Amino acid sequence: MKISVKVNKDLEDIEVVIETPALSTEVKNIERFISLYDLSLSVKKDQRNYPISPFHIYYIDAVGHQVFVYTKDDVFETSYKLYQLEKMYPSLLLRVNKNTLVNYKMIHTFKSSLNGRMEAKLKNGDLIIISRMYVPKLKALLKGDLL
């Protein structure tokens, strides 16, 4: 893959063009990933609203009817449901159990656990349990087979 940047003072906004000999899964994945750059997620903390980049999300956890967004140093609440967030950021967030989505880019290490489950340690030190139902998809994603 070759990447080039051209400065064009006539443009009002950034324009990304992907040139490819054929439309492939890799190209579609690159397009999806680039499209995330401009999207922010609206979250709340202490009665204040904040926009955060999806790239700063470590994981998202649902507890009862509340959904919490975890970043490196903070925890926020969002009004979105897990299934909505999963659809909003399919190339970044992966469901790892019934109540949790993880930003797979934030996984530092992982190891096998009991009953076919896995334990992932994130870059911020938090531990996430990956239920056995989601282990094959995570393994394929980390090997680069999926995005």
Side-chain angles (χ1 to χ4, degrees), residues 35-64:
S35 69
L36 287 177
Y37 177 79
D38 224 11
L39 296 177
S40 64
L41 178 64
S42 178
V43 295
K44 275 187 180 182
K45 183 177 180 178
D46 300 328
Q47 306 299 319
R48 293 181 178 263
N49 291 318
Y50 301 91
I52 62 169
S53 165
F55 296 105
H56 293 137
I57 296 171
Y58 277 66
Y59 67 100
I60 300 172
D61 200 31
V63 179

Side-chain angles (χ1 to χ4, degrees), residues 16-80:
V16 177
V17 177
I18 301 171
E19 293 183 11
T20 180
L23 190 59
S24 65
T25 303
E26 182 182 20
V27 172
K28 288 178 185 177
N29 290 339
I30 292 168
E31 179 188 21
R32 264 188 289 177
F33 201 73
I34 291 171
S35 69
L36 287 177
Y37 177 79
D38 224 11
L39 296 177
S40 64
L41 178 64
S42 178
V43 295
K44 275 187 180 182
K45 183 177 180 178
D46 300 328
Q47 306 299 319
R48 293 181 178 263
N49 291 318
Y50 301 91
I52 62 169
S53 165
F55 296 105
H56 293 137
I57 296 171
Y58 277 66
Y59 67 100
I60 300 172
D61 200 31
V63 179
H65 294 289
Q66 295 177 299
V67 177
F68 298 97
V69 177
Y70 294 80
T71 61
K72 183 177 182 181
D73 301 314
D74 244 326
V75 179
F76 300 93
E77 190 173 349
T78 185
S79 58
Y80 290 101

